[in-house]
Amino acid sequence: MKLLIIANPAAQLFPQSDSTLDVLREALRRDHTIYWATDLDIGLDHEKTIVTPQKVLECKEESLPSFEEKAKTPFCITEFDQVWIRKNPPFDSGYMTLCWLLQSYEDKVTFLSKPSLLLRMHEKFIPFLMVNEGFLKPEQLIPTRMTFSSTEFLSQSSKSNIPTPEIDVITKPWLGFGGDGVKRWNSYDQALAFTHQKDERTLIQPFIPEVQSYGDRRVFFLKGKYQGDFIRLPKKNSILSNLAQGGTAKLSKLSEKEQLICDQLEKYLDKHKVFFVGADILAERLSEVNITSPTGFVALKELGGTNLAKKYLDLAETLE
């Protein structure tokens, strides 16, 4: 196959642990022809969406890829058999522009994942979509509200589910990722005052003490089927279990409540035809459903779990 990977600049990635590089190496082992581009390499020429990528020459283990010089003549998106969108969040205006430029080609090129899905499904909001579509119950999610103005109001029905002034809470940016910008507060009022000073939408959730002792669980799905999982533990004195923030990984059996969430995720992802997902479960409640560029390929493999890069390629090759 002739593949185009749209991701962050390769120099920004960690060669020992990056999932995109892990699947890239597997594709090279299978003799696919691979090109690399960032969102800034994608443009518009009249009615055509074009790209000026670099051809990948090789990518050795624990090393960054090497490339040919950037193409002098742009390619049309239709010249590729598949396009893998692996750009990291935030899902900002640049990410949205990328998806707008690509989505009209979905009937001509195979996208993993489809631009229209990325536009429609914000990873922090998918859990609430699942409740609204009947796949999960509200109690299977972490109580959450999003600030939207300096005027505070709560409906009677939401007051019982929202963090109260008496407990610790956390704030996280709506467009944040990888644990960046997550803060802990001693009260809901403190958190609310902080969000009112921000120029960005912010989520407020109760602090879950289990994150420091038990961590959270990253669960992987390919074509709507469960592939494996691991627990992410934060480093000492941290509330962030993300591996990029110093967290560590270990294997642990799914609880009954976690298994039920995974079963419902399989049904939801199959319905919407989402190719690859990394879902996060915290205290037996669904936290996020990452579909942009889920990480953890290498960590799962090193723990003796599924080789996700091979599984990813096995399934991608059936989509030619």
Side-chain angles (χ1 to χ4, degrees):
M1 288 191 295
K2 186 177 181 181
L3 307 174
L4 174 65
I5 296 176
I6 303 174
N8 290 56
Q12 295 179 2
L13 306 179
F14 296 100
Q16 296 87 356
S17 60
D18 186 82
S19 295
T20 301
L21 297 183
D22 196 41
V23 76
L24 166 65
R25 295 183 187 106
E26 181 63 27
L28 288 170
R29 282 191 285 269
R30 300 187 187 197
D31 294 324
H32 294 299
T33 301
I34 307 170
Y35 290 80
W36 188 284
T38 73
D39 60 314
L40 297 179
D41 295 317
I42 313 295
L44 190 65
D45 184 13
H46 296 286
E47 79 286 2
K48 294 181 180 180
T49 296
I50 58 173
V51 57
T52 52
Q54 290 178 282
K55 186 177 180 180
V56 180
L57 297 175
E58 65 176 0
C59 187
K60 296 179 180 179
E61 293 295 326
E62 300 191 354
S63 298
L64 293 172
S66 59
F67 304 98
E68 286 185 353
E69 290 186 11
K70 184 172 288 191
K72 293 183 172 62
T73 303
F75 291 78
C76 181
I77 293 297
T78 55
E79 295 182 52
F80 297 94
D81 299 306
Q82 291 188 6
V83 176
W84 299 351
I85 303 176
R86 290 286 305 175
K87 175 176 163 53
N88 293 335
F91 198 86
D92 53 15
S93 60
Y95 216 134
M96 287 187 282
T97 299
L98 170 67
C99 293
W100 282 322
L101 288 169
L102 295 175
Q103 67 176 351
S104 63
Y105 291 88
E106 289 182 0
D107 61 342
K108 301 173 183 175
V109 178
T110 298
F111 286 93
L112 306 177
S113 290
K114 290 185 176 181
S116 59
L117 279 175
L118 293 170
L119 284 168
R120 194 165 79 240
M121 295 184 172
H122 189 288
E123 49 202 30
K124 289 184 175 66
F125 197 65
I126 292 176
F128 305 101
L129 292 175
M130 291 183 67
V131 171
N132 292 336
E133 294 182 35
F135 287 90
L136 290 177
K137 297 177 181 179
E139 57 267 27
Q140 292 176 291
L141 273 55
I142 297 172
T144 302
R145 77 180 302 257
M146 179 192 287
T147 57
F148 56 92
S149 73
S150 59
T151 302
E152 171 70 0
F153 90 93
L154 293 174
S155 67
Q156 284 301 119
S157 62
S158 70
K159 283 182 179 178
S160 61
N161 288 323
I162 220 65
T164 65
E166 291 77 30
I167 64 172
D168 283 11
V169 299
I170 64 165
T171 54
K172 59 173 67 173
W174 171 246
L175 294 179
F177 67 99
D180 288 345
V182 176
K183 297 180 181 294
R184 179 178 175 180
W185 305 89
N186 294 327
S187 74
Y188 178 73
D189 289 341
Q190 284 184 348
L192 193 65
F194 168 76
T195 65
H196 288 166
Q197 299 171 7
K198 305 290 287 183
D199 292 328
E200 59 183 353
R201 287 184 180 266
T202 305
L203 302 180
I204 301 179
Q205 297 176 332
F207 171 69
I208 309 296
E210 291 95 323
V211 72
Q212 293 181 309
S213 57
Y214 182 80
D216 70 0
R217 188 182 296 274
R218 167 55 60 92
V219 190
F220 301 98
F221 300 83
L222 271 168
K223 290 193 71 177
K225 298 298 181 183
Y226 166 85
Q227 300 295 324
D229 66 90
F230 56 77
I231 293 291
R232 302 182 300 185
L233 290 163
K235 62 184 179 181
K236 188 176 180 180
N237 299 323
S238 174
I239 63 171
L240 302 177
S241 56
N242 308 71
L243 300 183
Q245 298 280 1
T248 55
K250 71 172 187 177
L251 295 180
S252 176
K253 185 178 179 180
L254 291 164
S255 70
E256 289 186 10
K257 289 182 178 180
E258 290 172 325
Q259 183 64 62
L260 180 59
I261 290 174
C262 290
D263 292 344
Q264 294 305 105
L265 266 166
E266 285 190 331
K267 297 174 184 177
Y268 181 82
L269 298 173
D270 181 64
K271 174 187 175 182
H272 292 284
K273 307 304 178 187
V274 185
F275 183 74
F276 183 65
V277 159
D280 296 336
I281 298 175
L282 174 58
E284 299 183 317
R285 288 179 282 185
L286 185 60
S287 175
E288 295 185 11
V289 181
N290 304 282
I291 69 171
T292 49
S293 60
T295 60
F297 282 58
V298 177
L300 183 63
K301 182 170 56 178
E302 289 179 345
L303 289 169
T306 301
N307 186 325
L308 286 172
K310 287 186 176 181
K311 282 285 191 74
Y312 189 103
L313 261 296
D314 288 344
L315 289 171
E317 289 171 343
T318 69
L319 303 176
E320 288 187 74

